[in-house]
Amino acid sequence: MLDVTGIMDIIPHRYPMLLVDRIMEYESCKRIVGLKNVTINEHFFAGHFPGRPVMPGVMIIEALAQTGGVLIAQEFEDIHEYVIFFMTIDNVKFRKPVVPGDQIRLECEVLHFRRKVCRLKGQAFVDGKLVASAEFSSMLVKRDG
């Protein structure tokens, strides 16, 4: 189990783009479960949408990707020498709006992992109901400098 400080030790994201608050479960190179507490203070609610705040779907997918990034990053001792970039995002489905006060359970499982390329399946749940899902591929790229 990791708190937000432990997550920041693994992935480079920071406010306002860090979208994972806690890691609840972890199986090396297999699966991971994270949590995101959605509050009205999120920067995107100022414009999405005034009077009816809804978390943008792309931010839910980013939260899933960051959770998956924590999973993959732990497989590399030298992870701080790399950045993880999206390659593809497929089969994206949004099923229910996510609003302030919701807690998103972010579940990712490894579909394929070879060298520095991985493919994950991610599902996001609120109160046990599926709100979004996607499959995504990422690649580790050596940092400049």
Side-chain angles (χ1 to χ4, degrees):
M1 199 154 129
L2 289 172
D3 63 10
V4 72
T5 306
I7 293 166
M8 289 190 300
D9 287 341
I10 296 170
I11 61 174
H13 301 78
R14 298 293 182 265
Y15 176 84
M17 285 304 296
L18 181 61
L19 299 173
V20 184
D21 295 320
R22 183 173 302 273
I23 298 299
M24 303 299 295
E25 299 173 27
Y26 168 78
E27 282 182 68
S28 180
C29 207
K30 290 186 181 177
R31 65 183 293 273
I32 193 166
V33 176
L35 293 178
K36 166 65 178 155
N37 296 305
V38 182
T39 72
I40 193 63
N41 296 323
E42 307 289 346
H43 70 283
F44 43 76
F45 286 137
H48 199 270
F49 298 102
R52 181 152 162 55
V54 175
M55 186 172 182
V58 69
M59 300 307 275
I60 299 168
I61 300 305
E62 176 65 22
L64 284 167
Q66 288 180 21
T67 303
V70 172
L71 172 66
I72 297 306
Q74 293 188 73
E75 300 302 314
F76 296 90
E77 286 184 25
D78 59 347
I79 192 61
H80 297 294
E81 296 177 20
Y82 293 88
V83 178
I84 302 173
F85 287 115
F86 272 133
M87 290 171 51
T88 65
I89 305 171
D90 301 303
N91 304 317
V92 177
K93 294 184 181 166
F94 301 106
R95 302 181 184 273
K96 182 179 176 289
V98 174
V99 299
D102 285 347
Q103 183 179 68
I104 308 172
R105 181 179 170 95
L106 305 157
E107 300 182 5
C108 292
E109 67 176 281
V110 174
L111 299 176
H112 176 80
F113 185 27
R114 194 160 141 214
R115 295 190 182 149
K116 292 182 173 54
V117 176
C118 65
R119 182 155 181 85
L120 302 173
K121 176 182 178 183
Q123 295 182 299
F125 298 87
V126 173
D127 296 329
K129 294 182 178 138
L130 184 65
V131 296
S133 60
E135 292 180 10
F136 43 93
S137 297
S138 299
M139 175 184 255
L140 272 73
V141 176
K142 191 87 164 165
R143 289 182 189 263
D144 293 332

